[in-house]
Amino acid sequence: MSKAAIHYSFDHEHLLGIDGLHPLDLTHILDLANDYAEATRSGKRADPVLSGKTVVNLFFENSTRTMSSFEIAARRLGADVVSMPVAQSSVKKGETLIDTAMTLNAMKPDVLVVRHSASGGAKLLSRKVDCAVINAGDGTHEHPTQGLLDTLTIRRNKGRVEGLKVVICGDIVHSRVARSTTLALHLLGAEVHLCAPSTLMPSGTETWGAASATSDFDAALEGADVVMMLRLQLERMDGAYLPSRREYFRYFGLTEERLNHAKADAIVMHPGPMNRGIEIESAIADGERSVITEQVEMGVAVREAVLHLLAGGRP
Amino acid sequence: MSLSIFNARLLDPASGTDEVGAILIEEGCITAISPGATGAHKGASETLDAGGLCLAPGLIDLRVKTGEPGDEQKETLATASRAAVAGGVTSLVVMPDTKPVVDDVALVRYISDRAKVSAKARIYAAGALTTGLEGKAMAEIGLMADAGAVLFTNGDAPIGDPSILKRAMTYAASRGAIVMSRPDDNALKGSGVMNAGAFAARKGLSGIPKEAEWIGAARDLMLAEATGCTLILDQVSTPRTLELVADSRARGASVFTTIAAHSLFFNELDVGDYLTYCKVNPPFRDEDTRLAMIAALKAGEIDAVVSAHDPQPPEEKRLPFGEASFGAAGLETTLSALLSLVHDGPLTLLEALAPLTSRPADMIGLPEGRLSEGTPADFILFDPNKPWLCEREHLLSRSTNSPFDGRRLQGRVLKTFVGGEQVFAR
């Protein structure tokens, strides 16, 4: 069925998570993002659909990568961008998330891009402001633009999402990327297998749409089309969740040998920043099956699409 | 001066009475109960036609927090008692975790003196089990008990060191004092903020596992067995905890249990999109557990229902879920929450009222909580069917952090009497 036939329109006020989106929404965002990606590659300037609009990046956690990606995306569409790494400012003086949000809201931005260390932080903010809110990561809950960029990268490399076998391996329990990416891929029909040491695997992953949850990485990799490694926070490896770095690498590190279990044309992904030699070998990260830099490229394209849909009128 | 209330459906769980009749009040006490009477008592100087409304003992609430002394912006004894009588609660036990902590005689007296001048309901103090609630040194349990403290507790934070708890319970037993403990293993509860499980994982929130309650309960129960101390397990939230209690009782321990009224009404999914009013400890559990706890209440395996009233102002709740304080205002919704279980079928009116009246009164030895001759005339008139919309703006507590905000409820108190005086009417 074509989109026109069912009168599709993107009618979301915010992008707080993949949860709550329809597969058609995803396809629509990905199509638009792909157009933006192609335009950038061919050196075309995007239409300034956000001309005269103000986008505020409100980052309560430091993340140069994600903040820069949003900033570049917004500027390409002609928006005025203010980036506030709040981690270093007034919040330290006891100002709460809501106070900060109300203050910014009074300045009438059109879009607030927010990252916060608390799950639900973006949702809370969206209740208190009048503009569109984009969740750029809230605690261990969701990181929807990451889920979208992962999905777009896969779709571009494999030509489809439906029916692919995707393995996501690493610290699933603390990963907002795992949640958003699993939800997005499942909505579009991929078969997502989660792999983690049992101490880092949450319960109920079937409610995200995961096909399986295991701590046997080699078995999970059998016949995989896509292998996505997650970053493991070094502080989790000091004996609290895992015995040691080398034990983690032994069972969950992605090596050339291990990758042989996957399909010959499997692609390797990582949301970054990578711990080389802990979750992934450098040879693979830099190898020809790696699409890690394309993920970064698609990140900007996806953010252009999302900003356009939320604040730039109908594409 | 005497008052006869007639044409009332008399509900007294202690005696099993459920019959239309009249009661007579003289000098602040009930002096005659006449089930089956069709009119007022002869010779009464005043009469009141209840119009068929239910007349039950006032509610006894064993777990209420206020902010007095120290956090009066949250709640005072006066505002808590105003909310209490509006909810039909006529006797309440206030927790010792105030600033300063109620850990000596002067503070117990302060609570009762302040209550006398400012409160409409009867207020009883719970004393701290350890000084400053630090879990290190035993507080003056005997002296506080003599000054009127009805039970001793370490509040929300269980004593970490079992040897200190054991000695405190041994000593309390020798003074005939009752110890109330919140069964929790601090380390296992950790940084958890809601019930552990699939929903918490999906929301990216850290979970409070049931094992934390089981391990805490097992420890406290074994110490009750070993010391002979009477123990109240505060706000149990799982059926397995009740199995542990049954086992200890079979071994001769004197143990009671309470449950928070909101735990019988909500489940973990009510947390929804990070609603901080639904952040409580113990957390709202899964639906199977909620239903099992209702069945246990019906079977008499849970002794009392408490409001677990814990007023928290907006600055403690308008935060991301993980950062918000635990606690829900509950004084004004306890009865309605229990009546919902009557309307939904599982409980009879008497089964709903027993854990709110006579049973908690018996646990700590209060004369209230029953309709019988010679007892204080603390009672409520309520319409079990009256529909109402709970809106936080209309709650009388100083803090209105109610998970029932926006809920439609059925059954409401219309008049409340304490010591024969009408202290509330709507």
Side-chain angles (χ1 to χ4, degrees):
Chain A
M1 202 178 346
S2 76
K3 280 182 251 164
I6 57 161
H7 305 290
Y8 173 83
S9 69
F10 186 85
D11 60 357
H12 298 273
E13 202 179 335
H14 310 292
L15 180 69
L16 302 176
I18 300 297
D19 202 3
L21 295 182
H22 190 277
L24 279 173
D25 295 325
L26 291 182
T27 307
H28 188 56
I29 298 169
L30 297 181
D31 289 349
L32 183 59
N34 198 53
D35 292 346
Y36 275 121
E38 291 305 323
T40 304
R41 281 196 175 182
S42 63
K44 265 193 277 178
R45 285 191 68 87
D47 289 339
V49 292
L50 294 189
S51 173
K53 308 266 180 166
T54 306
V55 174
V56 175
N57 282 329
L58 185 61
F59 276 55
F60 293 86
E61 279 184 334
N62 288 323
S63 169
T64 314
R65 302 159 58 101
T66 308
M67 194 157 84
S68 309
S69 180
F70 270 106
E71 192 166 331
I72 290 167
R75 285 193 199 285
R76 280 193 186 154
L77 300 181
D80 299 315
V81 185
V82 182
S83 287
M84 298 181 59
V86 210
Q88 292 125 25
S89 73
S90 55
V91 179
K92 287 263 165 71
K93 299 176 206 146
E95 189 174 343
T96 65
L97 171 61
I98 287 186
D99 290 338
T100 308
M102 306 273 257
T103 305
L104 285 173
N105 190 48
M107 300 178 194
K108 307 289 178 212
D110 298 284
V111 181
L112 267 179
V113 178
V114 63
R115 167 165 293 191
H116 197 272
S117 58
S119 299
K123 174 76 190 176
L124 178 65
L125 200 108
S126 73
R127 290 200 185 103
K128 305 291 173 186
V129 299
D130 307 313
C131 61
V133 174
I134 298 175
N135 180 6
D138 63 328
T140 54
H141 178 226
E142 279 224 47
H143 189 357
T145 54
Q146 179 75 41
L148 291 165
L149 75 88
D150 289 340
T151 309
L152 180 59
T153 306
I154 292 170
R155 199 177 78 168
R156 285 171 60 96
N157 280 277
K158 294 289 171 190
R160 67 191 164 103
V161 174
E162 194 171 356
L164 294 177
K165 176 172 180 179
V166 181
V167 176
I168 303 179
C169 178
D171 181 357
I172 306 286
V173 74
H174 297 104
S175 176
R176 51 195 174 211
V177 175
R179 284 168 179 75
S180 289
T181 300
T182 304
L183 287 165
L185 291 172
H186 173 68
L187 273 178
L188 294 182
E191 190 186 289
V192 184
H193 298 265
L194 301 177
C195 180
S198 52
T199 45
L200 294 173
M201 179 69 84
S203 61
T205 51
E206 68 281 0
T207 71
W208 316 355
S212 77
T214 178
S215 52
D216 185 343
F217 193 20
D218 288 337
L221 282 172
E222 282 310 323
D225 298 289
V226 179
V227 183
M228 183 184 301
M229 303 305 293
L230 299 175
R231 177 181 170 80
L232 186 65
Q233 301 287 338
L234 300 181
E235 63 269 21
R236 307 222 198 274
M237 275 180 282
D238 58 5
Y241 288 87
L242 294 166
S244 67
R245 287 183 198 197
R246 68 175 189 179
E247 182 156 341
Y248 183 75
F249 185 72
R250 170 73 185 77
Y251 298 115
F252 299 96
L254 188 62
T255 59
E256 287 286 0
E257 186 191 357
R258 188 162 268 146
L259 191 55
N260 288 334
H261 290 279
K263 281 191 185 154
D265 64 348
I267 55 169
V268 174
M269 303 173 71
H270 193 297
M274 283 180 281
N275 293 309
R276 289 165 183 265
I278 292 171
E279 68 247 2
I280 190 165
E281 262 182 1
S282 271
I284 297 178
D286 304 327
E288 58 183 17
R289 289 193 276 185
S290 165
V291 295
I292 294 170
T293 52
E294 188 176 343
Q295 285 176 272
V296 178
E297 182 189 354
M298 290 310 122
V300 177
V302 153
R303 285 158 188 140
E304 285 181 84
V306 169
L307 285 164
H308 184 169
L309 289 168
L310 289 175
R314 242 166 226 275
Chain B
M1 165 72 191
S2 58
L3 169 65
S4 176
I5 301 178
F6 66 101
N7 192 19
R9 180 177 171 188
L10 304 178
L11 290 161
D12 180 37
S15 62
T17 303
D18 179 358
E19 194 176 349
V20 174
I23 65 167
L24 182 66
I25 297 123
E26 293 173 296
E27 309 280 325
C29 286
I30 299 172
T31 52
I33 299 160
S34 312
T38 51
H41 289 88
K42 298 236 169 351
S45 59
E46 281 180 56
T47 61
L48 174 66
D49 183 347
L53 290 176
C54 293
L55 190 156
L59 275 42
I60 315 276
D61 191 339
L62 295 180
R63 195 189 213 280
V64 174
K65 283 206 209 181
T66 78
E68 186 171 351
D71 273 319
E72 284 82 358
Q73 82 283 3
K74 291 185 177 178
E75 189 89 285
T76 63
L77 293 168
T79 59
S81 84
R82 186 177 69 189
V85 295
V89 176
T90 53
S91 294
L92 48 136
V93 178
V94 293
M95 296 296 103
D97 37 3
T98 47
K99 296 175 191 158
V101 169
V102 180
D103 61 1
D104 74 15
V105 175
L107 283 150
V108 173
R109 293 214 176 99
Y110 171 83
I111 298 284
S112 56
D113 290 348
R114 285 289 299 156
K116 271 186 199 115
V117 295
S118 67
K120 294 171 168 178
R122 294 180 205 273
I123 292 185
Y124 299 95
L129 196 53
T130 58
T131 55
L133 295 174
E134 287 169 355
K136 291 179 187 150
M138 207 184 298
E140 291 174 329
I141 295 170
L143 293 176
M144 285 193 280
D146 289 346
V150 291
L151 55 85
F152 296 86
T153 172
N154 221 56
D156 294 334
I159 294 174
D161 183 338
S163 70
I164 290 170
L165 179 59
K166 185 177 179 187
R167 278 199 295 275
M169 290 175 81
T170 303
Y171 187 81
S174 73
R175 305 301 322 167
I178 299 167
V179 167
M180 180 162 89
S181 79
R182 165 74 210 118
D184 238 344
D185 183 280
N186 294 331
L188 264 179
K189 176 178 173 265
S191 58
V193 294
M194 72 168 291
N195 186 41
F199 190 67
R202 177 141 181 195
K203 286 289 171 186
L205 295 172
S206 49
I208 303 174
K210 291 174 181 171
E211 306 89 82
E213 178 167 306
W214 299 335
I215 290 171
R219 179 192 75 160
D220 297 355
L221 288 165
M222 285 181 195
L223 293 178
E225 287 170 33
T227 62
C229 180
T230 296
L231 175 70
I232 300 175
L233 280 187
D234 173 34
Q235 301 179 76
V236 298
S237 69
T238 74
R240 183 154 179 192
T241 313
L242 297 172
E243 289 174 23
L244 295 168
V245 170
D247 179 60
S248 277
R249 278 182 178 151
R251 293 165 194 274
S254 168
V255 186
F256 299 104
T257 53
T258 71
I259 189 167
H262 49 228
S263 299
L264 296 165
F265 194 94
F266 295 102
N267 69 25
E268 60 183 351
L269 301 181
D270 288 302
V271 167
D273 264 329
Y274 307 99
L275 300 177
T276 58
Y277 286 178
C278 291
K279 182 176 175 181
V280 291
N281 186 42
F284 297 154
R285 301 289 187 187
D286 50 280
E287 179 64 0
D288 287 347
T289 298
R290 184 184 78 93
L291 295 175
M293 294 309 271
I294 293 169
L297 183 67
K298 183 175 178 69
E301 292 164 17
I302 300 168
D303 299 290
V305 173
V306 297
S307 70
H309 183 74
D310 189 351
Q312 296 290 343
E315 60 270 26
E316 299 289 338
K317 285 292 191 182
R318 287 175 63 199
L319 293 169
F321 197 87
E323 297 167 17
S325 292
F326 287 99
L331 281 165
E332 292 165 78
T333 46
T334 301
L335 181 65
S336 297
L338 270 279
L339 288 176
S340 75
L341 302 180
V342 176
H343 295 300
D344 290 349
L347 301 184
T348 66
L349 265 177
L350 285 179
E351 284 168 346
L353 288 168
L356 292 169
T357 57
S358 56
R359 293 222 296 260
D362 291 346
M363 281 161 66
I364 60 169
L366 299 180
E368 305 100 83
R370 64 201 68 239
L371 302 179
S372 69
E373 288 171 20
T375 62
D378 296 2
F379 60 89
I380 54 176
L381 284 169
F382 69 98
D383 177 350
N385 298 317
K386 188 178 176 60
W388 65 290
L389 174 64
C390 179
E391 292 172 297
R392 52 188 296 266
E393 307 82 64
H394 296 137
L395 293 175
L396 298 174
S397 171
R398 180 163 285 175
S399 294
T400 55
N401 50 309
S402 169
F404 291 91
D405 181 35
R407 294 267 171 174
R408 291 176 191 286
L409 296 166
Q410 194 179 355
R412 204 170 197 196
V413 171
L414 298 177
K415 284 186 166 62
T416 303
F417 292 76
V418 174
E421 299 289 322
Q422 181 177 302
V423 291
F424 176 79
R426 68 161 51 89

